[in-house]
Each structure stands twice: as structure tokens, then as C-alpha cells.
Amino acid sequence: MDNRFVFLVEDKFNYNLDSDDLTIVTGTVHGTVHKDDEVFVLDQSGRSFLTKVRLLENGDEHPDSCTDSATALVLEISPSELDKYSVVTSIRTWESEDINSAVENPYLAGMLYGKDFKDDSLFFSKFVFALAHSRLLAPVVLSKRPEDNGNGTATLTEHTQISFPTLANPAFPGKATLAVYTDWPELNKWPDAPKDENGTVQTIILKFPDIVHLTAEPGINGCVINAFGPTSFFMPTSMIDMITSLEGYKREFGDSPKTDN
């Protein structure tokens, strides 16, 4: 499937009261979805269901496709298998051990479109969970070129220094903001992304605890996700500290550094 789309499930209903094998979900598609597409349904637990779009519904119309607009999808899945604020997408979730495929965060990418629901405690808890369990791309500048291992990986040579390019945030004069991205299409929207002598953007994959430690450095205030895209999300240090202070986070990841940034 070449087209990329994400769709945050804002609500769900039984499509047929006499059967529970179809569910109608409402929301806005970002990208293009087609009737009969095979799609993934992702939720907070990390589960990924493969299902099919039986119909698209816009009022009384049933178009063959829908692009960047509010719509309803009829999915071949039982309502009991699908939670509110799940994400329907054409994008396969990236597996950390798969070095031959690009990093993808379709669940977080879909959740980033849910800013209208930020005051909903259910949405907020799922969004925080998505943040804490994401693996994000961060551009880096290396003092030495890494050695190519020939299998899609590279090894940093001894004494290589790594620096992370940052962005200015007018709301915090004198502070820099770490820039991270859900996927390569979002990273490629940064027109001034630093490149090496071959014109390549070097990146590193960061887990959320890595971001916590990097943003604890003096002079850094938080991070921005997808800085140049439609869902740019600034996460100040105060929000990072709030997340890392949650008991559930500490049980899973341990204590984290805090600063007065």
C-alpha cells in the first residue's frame, strides 16, 4: 500500500444491530484512504489488528476514497476489539529489531491530531502512554564518520562526538529545544536539517527516557515533535517532569533527572 494515512478514532458504533462483525468509526482521515484498503488498527496496548475498510460514509454518500477530511469508516472488526482513540492507519508499526526498515510511529502520529481532546482524561492518558513508549528520530552531527557494517547498521569509531541540532523557541528566549520526529517523511520537512559531506542526514533513534536525559541538560527546554509538520507538538521540560513523576512511569522506567529549565 503506497498511500500513507492516519485516522484517530473519535467514536465508534455498531454498524449493524443484528451483528457485531462490523464497526463504524468517526474521525478525520489525514492522507488518503480507499474502500477495500487493508489497514491496521493500533491501540495503547501495542496491539495491531489487520482489517479491511468495507465502506466509506459521508452522510448518504459512499465514496471510493477520502483525502484529508472528516469521514466515517466501516471496518471489518467487532466493536469490542476496538477502543476509542485507537488509530486506523496504512502504516505498519516499526519493530525495533528490524534494522532494514524505517522508523515509524503511526500510533503517536495519529494521536498528535487529537489536540481538540487534550482535556479528555482518557485521551490524555493514552497520549502520555504513546509519548513514553515511542522511539523517535533525532538528527545528529558526528565528529567522525561511522564505519559501515554492511548490513544497514554502522558503528561509531572511538572518540566520536555526537551533537544534537536544536531549534529556537521564541517562548523561551535563551533556551534551545530538542527536535525529534515520528518518521522520515516528517524529518524531511526540515529544510535546514544538518547533512554530512555526502548530503545525508545522520540520525539516531531515541527512546523517551533518552529524551528525558537530553532535555535535562542546561540550556535545553523540552523537545518539539515534528517541528515543521501540521501536528507540531512542543513538550516543555515541565511536561516531561510531570510525565516522569507519574507512578506508572517510575515503575517502568525508574527515576529521572529533573532541572529548572
Side-chain angles (χ1 to χ4, degrees):
M1 187 182 299
D2 295 329
N3 55 293
R4 294 171 63 90
F5 80 86
V6 292
F7 176 99
L8 178 65
V9 175
E10 299 175 8
D11 215 339
K12 64 171 184 172
F13 308 93
N14 231 333
Y15 185 68
N16 186 336
L17 295 179
D18 297 325
S19 173
D20 66 351
D21 60 350
L22 293 176
T23 302
I24 184 166
V25 294
T26 59
T28 299
V29 61
H30 303 278
T32 300
V33 61
H34 301 86
K35 177 180 176 293
D36 295 328
D37 275 350
E38 287 195 333
V39 296
F40 299 98
V41 177
L42 313 176
D43 63 20
Q44 177 183 319
S45 71
R47 295 179 301 172
S48 176
F49 298 97
L50 185 64
T51 187
K52 185 177 181 178
V53 179
R54 176 76 67 85
L55 287 172
L56 302 176
E57 289 200 348
N58 289 330
D60 295 329
E61 298 181 354
H62 295 86
D64 290 332
S65 66
C66 182
T67 300
D68 295 331
S69 63
T71 191
L73 310 179
V74 179
L75 304 177
E76 295 182 351
I77 189 173
S78 167
S80 62
E81 295 184 278
L82 187 150
D83 296 331
K84 186 178 182 180
Y85 301 133
S86 295
V87 172
V88 181
T89 180
S90 60
I91 306 167
R92 184 186 297 273
T93 298
W94 182 72
E95 299 293 339
S96 60
E97 65 271 13
D98 186 0
I99 61 174
N100 295 312
S101 63
V103 171
E104 295 283 6
N105 285 276
Y107 182 64
L108 178 59
M111 294 292 284
L112 286 170
Y113 282 101
K115 292 179 182 179
D116 289 345
F117 307 103
K118 65 182 185 300
D119 296 327
D120 182 323
S121 60
L122 176 63
F123 174 83
F124 187 73
S125 66
K126 290 177 179 288
F127 180 61
V128 167
F129 188 92
L131 287 172
H133 292 85
S134 295
R135 291 176 172 84
L136 297 163
L137 282 171
V140 294
V141 175
L142 306 176
S143 62
K144 295 182 180 181
R145 188 174 180 177
E147 294 180 351
D148 189 347
N149 296 327
N151 62 352
T153 66
T155 301
L156 297 181
T157 57
E158 189 176 5
H159 304 307
T160 298
Q161 295 181 338
I162 303 176
S163 60
F164 292 84
T166 56
L167 298 171
N169 187 334
F172 295 91
K175 300 287 186 180
T177 297
L178 180 70
V180 295
Y181 299 86
T182 56
D183 47 62
W184 275 99
E186 287 295 332
L187 173 54
N188 288 335
K189 292 174 183 176
W190 187 0
D192 300 319
K195 297 179 174 62
D196 62 17
E197 66 274 13
N198 297 318
T200 302
V201 179
Q202 297 287 346
T203 62
I204 193 169
I205 300 168
L206 298 179
K207 298 180 182 179
F208 188 77
D210 301 322
I211 294 173
V212 172
H213 281 80
L214 288 170
T215 55
E217 293 293 322
I220 301 292
N221 190 296
C223 73
V224 58
I225 302 173
N226 296 348
F228 299 93
T231 58
S232 176
F233 179 77
F234 173 57
M235 184 166 39
T237 298
S238 58
M239 182 176 181
I240 294 173
D241 286 349
M242 180 277 293
I243 293 172
T244 59
S245 68
L246 296 173
E247 289 303 318
Y249 183 93
K250 291 193 287 187
R251 281 195 302 271
E252 185 171 354
F253 300 106
D255 292 330
S256 300
K258 293 180 172 57
T259 73
D260 59 359
N261 287 341

